Amino acid sequence: MTQKETLLLMSYIYNIRCRAESELKELRKNIRYGCPDVVDCSELASAIVRAETIHEITENILVLLNMDSDI
């Protein structure tokens, strides 16, 4: 991979991980300060699974490309 491609990949991974963490933080805040219902809890559960999946997939991509995975 060229340096530009590596930078684009790392930027992409960083951005999708940040978005997933931001979504989790917002959903947790909504549950903490509101009166959560079943929909709120299922949205949080889905967001947790989505964030874990994103993290696992991006780790696997970095391992396959022999790149440092300390993002």
Side-chain angles (χ1 to χ4, degrees):
M1 287 181 89
T2 66
Q3 187 174 5
K4 183 177 180 180
E5 290 170 336
T6 302
L7 180 62
L8 287 172
L9 176 63
M10 298 304 257
S11 295
Y12 174 75
I13 289 172
Y14 177 77
N15 286 329
I16 62 170
R17 285 184 179 183
C18 284
R19 274 188 270 144
E21 290 299 319
S22 176
E23 180 185 16
L24 273 177
K25 190 181 290 186
E26 184 68 27
L27 290 169
R28 286 180 177 142
K29 184 180 81 172
N30 291 346
I31 286 178
R32 187 177 307 123
Y33 297 118
C35 184
D37 59 6
V38 174
V39 174
D40 294 328
C41 294
S42 69
E43 284 178 350
L44 178 59
S46 295
I48 290 169
V49 170
R50 194 167 32 256
E52 289 173 351
T53 303
I54 287 169
H55 185 76
E56 183 178 340
I57 289 171
T58 55
E59 284 292 317
N60 290 340
I61 290 169
L62 294 174
V63 167
L64 288 171
L65 295 174
N66 295 322
M67 301 174 83
D68 189 13
S69 62
D70 294 331
I71 297 179

